[in-house]
Coordinates of all heavy atoms in Angstrom, one line a residue:
M1 N 0.9 -1.2 0.0 CA 0.0 0.0 0.0 C 0.9 1.2 0.0 O 1.8 1.4 0.8 CB -0.9 0.0 1.2 CG -1.9 1.1 1.3 SD -2.9 1.0 2.8 CE -4.3 0.3 2.1
S2 N 0.7 2.1 -0.9 CA 1.5 3.3 -1.1 C 1.1 4.3 0.0 O 0.0 4.3 0.5 CB 1.4 3.9 -2.5 OG 0.1 4.5 -2.6
N3 N 2.0 5.2 0.2 CA 1.8 6.3 1.1 C 0.6 7.2 0.7 O -0.1 7.7 1.5 CB 3.1 7.1 1.3 CG 3.1 7.9 2.6 OD1 2.4 7.6 3.5 ND2 4.0 8.9 2.6
E4 N 0.5 7.4 -0.6 CA -0.6 8.2 -1.2 C -1.9 7.6 -0.9 O -2.9 8.3 -0.5 CB -0.4 8.3 -2.7 CG -1.4 9.1 -3.4 CD -1.1 10.6 -3.4 OE1 0.0 11.0 -3.1 OE2 -2.0 11.3 -3.7
T5 N -2.0 6.3 -1.0 CA -3.3 5.6 -0.8 C -3.7 5.7 0.7 O -4.8 5.8 1.0 CB -3.2 4.1 -1.2 OG1 -2.7 4.0 -2.5 CG2 -4.5 3.3 -1.0
R6 N -2.7 5.6 1.6 CA -3.0 5.7 3.0 C -3.5 7.1 3.4 O -4.4 7.2 4.1 CB -1.7 5.4 3.8 CG -1.3 4.0 3.9 CD -0.2 3.8 4.8 NE 0.3 2.4 4.7 CZ 1.6 2.1 4.8 NH1 2.5 3.0 5.0 NH2 1.9 0.8 4.6
K7 N -2.9 8.1 2.8 CA -3.3 9.5 3.0 C -4.8 9.7 2.6 O -5.6 10.3 3.3 CB -2.4 10.5 2.3 CG -1.1 10.6 3.0 CD -0.3 11.7 2.2 CE 1.1 11.8 2.9 NZ 2.0 12.8 2.2
K8 N -5.1 9.1 1.4 CA -6.5 9.2 0.9 C -7.5 8.5 1.8 O -8.6 9.0 2.1 CB -6.6 8.7 -0.5 CG -6.0 9.6 -1.5 CD -6.2 9.0 -2.9 CE -5.6 9.9 -4.0 NZ -5.7 9.4 -5.3
G9 N -7.0 7.3 2.3 CA -7.9 6.5 3.2 C -8.1 7.3 4.5 O -9.2 7.3 5.0
L10 N -7.1 7.8 5.1 CA -7.2 8.5 6.3 C -8.0 9.8 6.2 O -8.8 10.1 7.0 CB -5.8 8.9 6.9 CG -5.0 7.7 7.5 CD1 -3.6 8.2 7.9 CD2 -5.8 7.2 8.7
A11 N -7.8 10.5 5.1 CA -8.6 11.7 4.8 C -10.1 11.4 4.7 O -10.9 12.1 5.3 CB -8.1 12.4 3.6
G12 N -10.4 10.3 4.0 CA -11.8 9.9 3.9 C -12.4 9.5 5.2 O -13.5 9.8 5.6
A13 N -11.6 8.8 6.0 CA -12.1 8.4 7.4 C -12.3 9.6 8.3 O -13.3 9.7 9.0 CB -11.0 7.5 8.0
F14 N -11.4 10.6 8.2 CA -11.6 11.8 9.0 C -12.8 12.6 8.5 O -13.6 13.2 9.3 CB -10.4 12.7 9.0 CG -9.3 12.1 9.9 CD1 -8.0 11.8 9.4 CD2 -9.5 12.0 11.3 CE1 -7.0 11.3 10.3 CE2 -8.5 11.5 12.1 CZ -7.3 11.1 11.6
Q15 N -13.0 12.7 7.2 CA -14.2 13.3 6.7 C -15.5 12.6 7.2 O -16.5 13.3 7.5 CB -14.2 13.4 5.2 CG -13.1 14.4 4.6 CD -13.0 14.3 3.1 OE1 -13.6 13.4 2.5 NE2 -12.3 15.2 2.6
D16 N -15.5 11.3 7.1 CA -16.7 10.6 7.6 C -16.9 10.8 9.1 O -18.1 11.0 9.5 CB -16.5 9.1 7.4 CG -16.5 8.7 5.9 OD1 -17.0 9.5 5.1 OD2 -16.1 7.5 5.6
M17 N -15.8 10.8 9.9 CA -16.0 11.1 11.3 C -16.5 12.5 11.6 O -17.4 12.7 12.4 CB -14.7 10.9 12.1 CG -14.2 9.5 12.2 SD -12.8 9.1 13.3 CE -11.6 10.4 12.8
A18 N -16.1 13.5 10.8 CA -16.5 14.9 10.9 C -18.0 15.0 10.6 O -18.8 15.6 11.3 CB -15.7 15.8 10.1
A19 N -18.4 14.3 9.5 CA -19.8 14.3 9.1 C -20.7 13.7 10.2 O -21.8 14.1 10.5 CB -20.0 13.6 7.8
S20 N -20.2 12.5 10.7 CA -20.9 11.8 11.8 C -21.1 12.7 13.0 O -22.1 12.8 13.6 CB -20.2 10.5 12.1 OG -20.9 9.9 13.1
A21 N -20.0 13.4 13.3 CA -20.0 14.3 14.5 C -21.0 15.4 14.3 O -21.7 15.8 15.3 CB -18.6 14.8 14.8
R22 N -21.1 16.0 13.1 CA -22.0 17.1 12.9 C -23.5 16.6 13.0 O -24.3 17.2 13.6 CB -21.8 17.7 11.5 CG -20.6 18.6 11.4 CD -20.5 19.4 10.1 NE -20.3 18.5 8.9 CZ -19.1 18.1 8.5 NH1 -18.0 18.5 9.1 NH2 -19.0 17.4 7.4
A23 N -23.7 15.4 12.4 CA -25.0 14.8 12.5 C -25.4 14.5 13.9 O -26.6 14.8 14.4 CB -25.1 13.5 11.7
Q24 N -24.5 14.0 14.7 CA -24.8 13.7 16.1 C -25.0 15.0 16.9 O -25.9 15.0 17.8 CB -23.6 12.9 16.8 CG -23.9 12.4 18.2 CD -25.2 11.5 18.3 OE1 -25.3 10.6 17.5 NE2 -26.0 11.8 19.2
S25 N -24.3 16.0 16.6 CA -24.5 17.3 17.2 C -25.9 17.8 17.0 O -26.6 18.3 17.9 CB -23.5 18.3 16.7 OG -23.7 19.6 17.3
K26 N -26.4 17.6 15.8 CA -27.8 18.1 15.5 C -28.8 17.3 16.3 O -29.8 17.8 16.9 CB -28.1 17.9 14.0 CG -27.5 18.9 13.1 CD -27.8 18.7 11.6 CE -27.1 19.7 10.8 NZ -27.4 19.4 9.3
V27 N -28.6 16.0 16.5 CA -29.4 15.1 17.3 C -29.4 15.6 18.7 O -30.4 15.7 19.4 CB -29.0 13.6 17.1 CG1 -29.7 12.8 18.2 CG2 -29.3 13.1 15.7
D28 N -28.2 15.8 19.2 CA -28.0 16.3 20.6 C -28.7 17.6 20.9 O -29.4 17.8 21.9 CB -26.6 16.4 21.0 CG -25.8 15.1 21.0 OD1 -26.5 14.0 21.1 OD2 -24.6 15.1 21.0
K29 N -28.6 18.5 19.9 CA -29.3 19.8 20.1 C -30.8 19.6 20.1 O -31.5 20.3 20.9 CB -28.9 20.8 19.0 CG -27.5 21.3 19.1 CD -27.1 22.2 18.0 CE -25.7 22.7 18.2 NZ -25.3 23.6 17.1
A30 N -31.3 18.8 19.2 CA -32.8 18.5 19.2 C -33.3 17.9 20.5 O -34.3 18.3 21.0 CB -33.1 17.7 18.0
N31 N -32.5 16.9 21.0 CA -32.9 16.3 22.2 C -32.8 17.2 23.4 O -33.7 17.2 24.2 CB -32.0 15.1 22.5 CG -32.3 13.9 21.7 OD1 -33.5 13.6 21.4 ND2 -31.4 13.0 21.4
F32 N -31.8 18.1 23.4 CA -31.7 19.1 24.5 C -32.9 20.0 24.4 O -33.5 20.3 25.5 CB -30.4 19.9 24.3 CG -30.2 20.9 25.4 CD1 -29.9 20.6 26.7 CD2 -30.5 22.2 25.1 CE1 -29.7 21.5 27.7 CE2 -30.4 23.2 26.1 CZ -30.0 22.9 27.4
A33 N -33.3 20.5 23.2 CA -34.4 21.4 23.1 C -35.7 20.7 23.6 O -36.5 21.3 24.2 CB -34.5 21.9 21.7
A34 N -35.9 19.4 23.2 CA -37.1 18.7 23.7 C -37.1 18.6 25.2 O -38.2 18.8 25.8 CB -37.1 17.3 23.0
V35 N -36.0 18.2 25.8 CA -36.0 18.1 27.3 C -36.2 19.4 27.9 O -36.9 19.5 28.9 CB -34.6 17.4 27.7 CG1 -34.4 17.5 29.2 CG2 -34.5 16.0 27.3
K36 N -35.7 20.4 27.4 CA -35.8 21.8 27.9 C -37.3 22.2 27.9 O -37.9 22.7 28.9 CB -35.0 22.8 27.2 CG -35.0 24.2 27.7 CD -34.1 25.1 27.0 CE -34.2 26.5 27.4 NZ -33.3 27.4 26.7
A37 N -38.0 21.9 26.7 CA -39.4 22.2 26.6 C -40.3 21.4 27.5 O -41.2 21.9 28.1 CB -39.8 22.0 25.1
E38 N -39.9 20.1 27.7 CA -40.7 19.2 28.6 C -40.5 19.7 30.0 O -41.5 19.7 30.8 CB -40.2 17.8 28.4 CG -40.6 17.2 27.1 CD -39.9 15.8 26.8 OE1 -38.9 15.5 27.5 OE2 -40.4 15.2 25.9
S39 N -39.3 20.1 30.4 CA -39.0 20.6 31.7 C -39.9 21.8 32.0 O -40.5 22.0 33.1 CB -37.5 20.9 31.9 OG -37.3 21.4 33.2
R40 N -39.9 22.7 31.0 CA -40.7 24.0 31.2 C -42.2 23.6 31.3 O -42.9 24.2 32.2 CB -40.4 24.9 30.0 CG -41.2 26.2 30.1 CD -40.7 27.0 31.2 NE -41.5 28.3 31.2 CZ -41.2 29.3 31.9 NH1 -40.0 29.3 32.6 NH2 -41.9 30.4 31.9
A41 N -42.6 22.7 30.5 CA -44.1 22.3 30.6 C -44.4 21.7 32.0 O -45.4 22.0 32.6 CB -44.4 21.3 29.5
N42 N -43.5 20.8 32.5 CA -43.7 20.3 33.8 C -43.7 21.3 34.9 O -44.6 21.3 35.8 CB -42.6 19.2 34.1 CG -42.7 18.0 33.3 OD1 -43.8 17.7 32.8 ND2 -41.6 17.3 33.1
F43 N -42.8 22.3 34.8 CA -42.8 23.4 35.8 C -44.1 24.2 35.7 O -44.7 24.5 36.8 CB -41.6 24.3 35.5 CG -41.5 25.5 36.3 CD1 -41.1 25.4 37.6 CD2 -41.8 26.7 35.8 CE1 -41.1 26.5 38.5 CE2 -41.8 27.9 36.6 CZ -41.4 27.8 37.9
E44 N -44.5 24.5 34.5 CA -45.7 25.3 34.4 C -47.0 24.5 34.9 O -47.9 25.1 35.5 CB -45.9 25.8 33.0 CG -44.9 26.8 32.5 CD -44.9 28.1 33.3 OE1 -46.0 28.5 33.9 OE2 -43.9 28.8 33.4
E45 N -47.0 23.2 34.6 CA -48.1 22.4 35.1 C -48.2 22.3 36.6 O -49.3 22.3 37.2 CB -48.0 21.0 34.5 CG -48.3 20.9 33.1 CD -48.1 19.6 32.4 OE1 -47.4 18.7 33.1 OE2 -48.5 19.4 31.3
T46 N -47.0 22.4 37.3 CA -47.1 22.4 38.7 C -47.6 23.7 39.3 O -48.1 23.7 40.4 CB -45.7 22.1 39.4 OG1 -44.8 23.2 39.0 CG2 -45.1 20.8 39.0
R47 N -47.6 24.7 38.5 CA -48.1 26.0 39.0 C -49.5 26.3 38.6 O -50.1 27.3 38.9 CB -47.2 27.1 38.3 CG -45.8 27.0 38.8 CD -44.9 28.0 38.1 NE -45.3 29.4 38.5 CZ -45.0 30.5 37.8 NH1 -44.4 30.4 36.7 NH2 -45.5 31.7 38.3
M48 N -50.2 25.3 37.9 CA -51.6 25.4 37.5 C -52.5 25.4 38.8 O -52.1 24.8 39.8 CB -52.0 24.3 36.6 CG -51.3 24.3 35.3 SD -51.6 22.8 34.3 CE -53.3 22.6 34.3
S49 N -53.6 26.0 38.6 CA -54.6 26.0 39.7 C -55.2 24.6 39.8 O -55.2 23.8 38.9 CB -55.7 27.0 39.4 OG -56.5 26.5 38.3
P50 N -55.7 24.2 41.0 CA -56.3 22.9 41.2 C -57.4 22.6 40.2 O -57.5 21.5 39.7 CB -56.8 23.0 42.6 CG -56.0 24.0 43.3 CD -55.7 25.0 42.3
K51 N -58.2 23.7 39.9 CA -59.3 23.5 38.9 C -58.7 23.1 37.5 O -59.2 22.2 36.8 CB -60.2 24.7 38.8 CG -61.3 24.6 37.9 CD -62.2 25.8 37.9 CE -63.4 25.6 36.9 NZ -64.2 26.8 36.9
A52 N -57.7 23.9 37.1 CA -57.0 23.6 35.8 C -56.4 22.2 35.8 O -56.4 21.6 34.7 CB -56.0 24.7 35.5
K53 N -55.8 21.8 36.9 CA -55.2 20.5 36.9 C -56.2 19.4 36.8 O -56.0 18.4 36.1 CB -54.4 20.3 38.3 CG -53.1 21.1 38.4 CD -52.5 20.8 39.7 CE -51.3 21.6 39.9 NZ -50.6 21.4 41.2
E54 N -57.4 19.6 37.4 CA -58.4 18.6 37.3 C -59.0 18.6 35.9 O -59.3 17.5 35.4 CB -59.6 18.9 38.3 CG -60.7 17.9 38.3 CD -60.3 16.5 38.5 OE1 -59.4 16.2 39.2 OE2 -60.9 15.6 37.8
E55 N -59.1 19.7 35.3 CA -59.5 19.8 33.9 C -58.6 19.0 33.0 O -58.9 18.3 32.1 CB -59.7 21.2 33.4 CG -60.9 21.9 34.0 CD -60.9 23.4 33.7 OE1 -60.0 23.9 33.0 OE2 -61.9 24.1 34.1
Q56 N -57.3 19.2 33.2 CA -56.2 18.5 32.4 C -56.3 17.0 32.6 O -56.2 16.3 31.7 CB -54.8 19.1 32.9 CG -53.7 18.6 32.0 CD -53.8 19.2 30.6 OE1 -54.3 20.3 30.4 NE2 -53.2 18.5 29.6
R57 N -56.5 16.6 33.9 CA -56.6 15.2 34.2 C -57.8 14.6 33.5 O -57.8 13.5 33.0 CB -56.7 14.9 35.7 CG -55.3 15.0 36.3 CD -55.3 14.5 37.8 NE -56.1 15.3 38.7 CZ -55.6 16.3 39.4 NH1 -54.4 16.6 39.4 NH2 -56.4 17.0 40.2
Q58 N -59.0 15.3 33.5 CA -60.2 14.9 32.8 C -60.0 14.7 31.3 O -60.4 13.8 30.7 CB -61.4 15.8 33.1 CG -62.7 15.3 32.6 CD -63.1 13.9 33.2 OE1 -63.0 13.7 34.4 NE2 -63.5 13.0 32.4
I59 N -59.3 15.7 30.7 CA -59.0 15.6 29.3 C -58.2 14.3 29.0 O -58.4 13.6 28.0 CB -58.2 16.8 28.8 CG1 -59.2 18.0 28.8 CG2 -57.6 16.6 27.4 CD1 -58.5 19.4 28.6
E60 N -57.2 14.0 29.9 CA -56.4 12.8 29.7 C -57.2 11.6 29.9 O -57.1 10.6 29.1 CB -55.2 12.9 30.7 CG -54.2 11.7 30.5 CD -53.5 11.7 29.2 OE1 -53.3 12.8 28.6 OE2 -53.2 10.6 28.7
R61 N -58.1 11.6 30.8 CA -59.0 10.4 31.0 C -59.9 10.2 29.8 O -60.1 9.1 29.4 CB -59.8 10.5 32.3 CG -59.0 10.4 33.6 CD -59.9 10.3 34.8 NE -60.6 11.5 35.1 CZ -60.2 12.4 36.0 NH1 -59.1 12.2 36.7 NH2 -60.9 13.5 36.2
D62 N -60.4 11.3 29.3 CA -61.3 11.2 28.1 C -60.5 10.6 26.9 O -61.1 9.8 26.2 CB -61.9 12.5 27.8 CG -62.9 13.0 28.8 OD1 -63.4 12.2 29.6 OD2 -63.2 14.3 28.8
K63 N -59.3 11.1 26.8 CA -58.5 10.6 25.7 C -58.2 9.1 25.9 O -58.3 8.3 24.9 CB -57.2 11.3 25.7 CG -56.3 11.1 24.4 CD -55.2 12.0 24.3 CE -53.9 11.5 25.0 NZ -52.7 12.3 24.8
Q64 N -57.9 8.6 27.1 CA -57.7 7.2 27.3 C -59.0 6.4 27.1 O -58.9 5.3 26.5 CB -57.2 7.0 28.8 CG -55.8 7.5 29.0 CD -55.4 7.4 30.4 OE1 -56.2 7.1 31.3 NE2 -54.1 7.6 30.7
I65 N -60.1 6.9 27.5 CA -61.4 6.2 27.2 C -61.6 6.1 25.7 O -62.0 5.0 25.2 CB -62.5 6.9 27.9 CG1 -62.4 6.8 29.4 CG2 -63.9 6.4 27.4 CD1 -63.4 7.7 30.2
A66 N -61.4 7.1 25.0 CA -61.6 7.1 23.5 C -60.6 6.1 22.9 O -61.0 5.3 22.0 CB -61.3 8.5 22.9
E67 N -59.4 6.0 23.3 CA -58.4 5.0 22.8 C -58.9 3.6 23.1 O -58.8 2.7 22.3 CB -57.0 5.3 23.3 CG -56.4 6.5 22.8 CD -55.1 6.9 23.5 OE1 -54.7 6.1 24.4 OE2 -54.4 7.9 23.1
A68 N -59.3 3.4 24.3 CA -59.8 2.1 24.7 C -61.0 1.6 23.9 O -61.2 0.5 23.5 CB -60.1 2.0 26.2
D69 N -62.0 2.6 23.7 CA -63.1 2.3 22.9 C -62.8 1.9 21.5 O -63.3 1.0 20.9 CB -64.1 3.5 22.9 CG -64.9 3.6 24.2 OD1 -64.9 2.6 25.0 OD2 -65.4 4.7 24.5
S70 N -61.8 2.6 20.9 CA -61.3 2.4 19.6 C -60.7 1.0 19.5 O -61.0 0.2 18.6 CB -60.3 3.4 19.2 OG -59.7 3.1 18.0
R71 N -59.9 0.6 20.5 CA -59.3 -0.7 20.5 C -60.4 -1.8 20.6 O -60.3 -2.9 20.0 CB -58.3 -0.9 21.7 CG -57.1 0.0 21.4 CD -55.9 -0.4 22.4 NE -56.2 -1.0 23.6 CZ -56.3 -0.5 24.8 NH1 -56.1 0.8 25.0 NH2 -56.6 -1.2 25.9
R72 N -61.4 -1.5 21.5 CA -62.5 -2.5 21.6 C -63.3 -2.7 20.4 O -63.5 -3.9 20.0 CB -63.5 -2.0 22.7 CG -64.7 -3.0 23.0 CD -65.7 -2.4 23.9 NE -66.1 -1.0 23.6 CZ -67.0 -0.8 22.6 NH1 -67.6 -1.7 21.9 NH2 -67.4 0.5 22.4
V73 N -63.6 -1.6 19.6 CA -64.3 -1.7 18.4 C -63.5 -2.5 17.4 O -64.0 -3.4 16.7 CB -64.7 -0.3 17.8 CG1 -65.1 -0.4 16.4 CG2 -65.7 0.3 18.7
E74 N -62.2 -2.3 17.3 CA -61.3 -3.0 16.4 C -61.3 -4.5 16.7 O -61.3 -5.3 15.9 CB -59.9 -2.4 16.4 CG -59.0 -3.0 15.5 CD -57.6 -2.5 15.6 OE1 -57.4 -1.3 15.7 OE2 -56.6 -3.2 15.4
A75 N -61.2 -4.8 18.0 CA -61.1 -6.2 18.4 C -62.5 -6.9 18.1 O -62.5 -8.1 17.7 CB -60.8 -6.3 19.9
E76 N -63.6 -6.2 18.3 CA -64.9 -6.8 18.0 C -65.0 -7.1 16.5 O -65.5 -8.1 16.1 CB -66.0 -5.9 18.5 CG -66.2 -5.9 20.0 CD -67.2 -4.9 20.5 OE1 -67.6 -4.0 19.7 OE2 -67.5 -4.9 21.7
A77 N -64.5 -6.2 15.7 CA -64.5 -6.4 14.2 C -63.6 -7.6 13.9 O -64.0 -8.4 13.0 CB -64.0 -5.1 13.5
R78 N -62.4 -7.7 14.5 CA -61.6 -8.9 14.2 C -62.2 -10.2 14.6 O -62.1 -11.2 13.9 CB -60.2 -8.7 14.9 CG -59.4 -7.6 14.3 CD -58.1 -7.3 15.1 NE -57.5 -8.5 15.7 CZ -56.9 -8.5 16.9 NH1 -56.8 -7.3 17.6 NH2 -56.3 -9.5 17.4
T79 N -62.9 -10.1 15.8 CA -63.6 -11.3 16.3 C -64.7 -11.7 15.3 O -64.9 -12.9 14.9 CB -64.2 -11.1 17.7 OG1 -63.2 -10.7 18.6 CG2 -64.9 -12.3 18.2
A80 N -65.5 -10.8 14.8 CA -66.6 -11.0 13.9 C -66.0 -11.6 12.6 O -66.6 -12.6 12.0 CB -67.4 -9.8 13.6
A81 N -64.9 -11.1 12.1 CA -64.3 -11.5 10.9 C -63.8 -13.0 11.0 O -63.9 -13.8 10.2 CB -63.2 -10.6 10.4
A82 N -63.2 -13.2 12.2 CA -62.7 -14.6 12.4 C -63.8 -15.6 12.6 O -63.7 -16.7 12.0 CB -61.8 -14.6 13.7
M83 N -64.9 -15.2 13.2 CA -66.0 -16.1 13.3 C -66.7 -16.3 12.0 O -67.1 -17.4 11.7 CB -67.0 -15.5 14.3 CG -66.5 -15.6 15.8 SD -67.6 -14.8 16.9 CE -68.9 -16.0 17.0
A84 N -66.8 -15.3 11.1 CA -67.4 -15.4 9.8 C -66.5 -16.3 8.9 O -67.1 -17.1 8.1 CB -67.5 -14.1 9.2
S85 N -65.2 -16.3 9.1 CA -64.4 -17.1 8.2 C -64.4 -18.6 8.6 O -64.1 -19.5 7.8 CB -62.9 -16.6 8.3 OG -62.4 -17.0 9.6
R86 N -64.9 -18.9 9.8 CA -65.1 -20.4 10.2 C -66.3 -21.0 9.5 O -66.4 -22.2 9.5 CB -65.2 -20.5 11.7 CG -63.8 -20.3 12.3 CD -63.9 -20.6 13.8 NE -64.8 -19.7 14.5 CZ -65.2 -19.9 15.7 NH1 -64.8 -20.9 16.4 NH2 -66.0 -19.0 16.3
K87 N -67.3 -20.2 9.1 CA -68.5 -20.8 8.6 C -68.4 -21.2 7.2 O -67.6 -21.0 6.4 CB -69.6 -19.7 8.7 CG -70.0 -19.4 10.1 CD -71.1 -18.3 10.2 CE -71.4 -18.0 11.6 NZ -72.4 -17.1 11.8

């Protein structure tokens, strides 16, 4: 292996490492921004009035009920299809 080939190989490797580092930096910045926003949201939620907290909890419960109902309807349709295929 010539010295020229080694230099090209090393240069390529360093370019790849630099590109990877830049991409990872973007990921790190995005994750940091997300954690910062979540932290701020948690802080603000702790400062909510009891009435607002209860309203927020009710919204969450309603969302969970809707998701459960959707899963139930889907399961009932799958059950009906499976029973119809046996006939």
Side-chain angles (χ1 to χ4, degrees):
M1 182 180 263
S2 72
N3 201 19
E4 180 83 18
T5 306
R6 285 187 191 144
K7 285 182 181 178
K8 286 182 181 179
L10 285 174
F14 284 120
Q15 288 174 350
D16 290 346
M17 287 189 313
S20 179
R22 283 190 295 273
Q24 185 61 47
S25 177
K26 287 181 182 179
V27 170
D28 292 343
K29 286 179 182 179
N31 282 329
F32 179 78
V35 168
K36 185 177 176 180
E38 290 167 345
S39 177
R40 180 67 181 193
N42 289 338
F43 175 74
E44 291 299 333
E45 286 174 348
T46 61
R47 298 176 64 201
M48 290 170 53
S49 70
K51 183 179 179 181
K53 287 180 185 179
E54 181 55 36
E55 289 172 357
Q56 188 70 25
R57 284 191 292 266
Q58 186 60 46
I59 290 169
E60 186 62 31
R61 286 191 293 261
D62 291 343
K63 189 169 93 175
Q64 289 175 353
I65 289 169
E67 289 172 0
D69 287 342
S70 173
R71 290 192 341 257
R72 180 188 51 81
V73 167
E74 183 182 322
E76 288 172 351
R78 289 177 33 219
T79 301
M83 290 176 73
S85 71
R86 286 191 294 172
K87 293 180 180 182

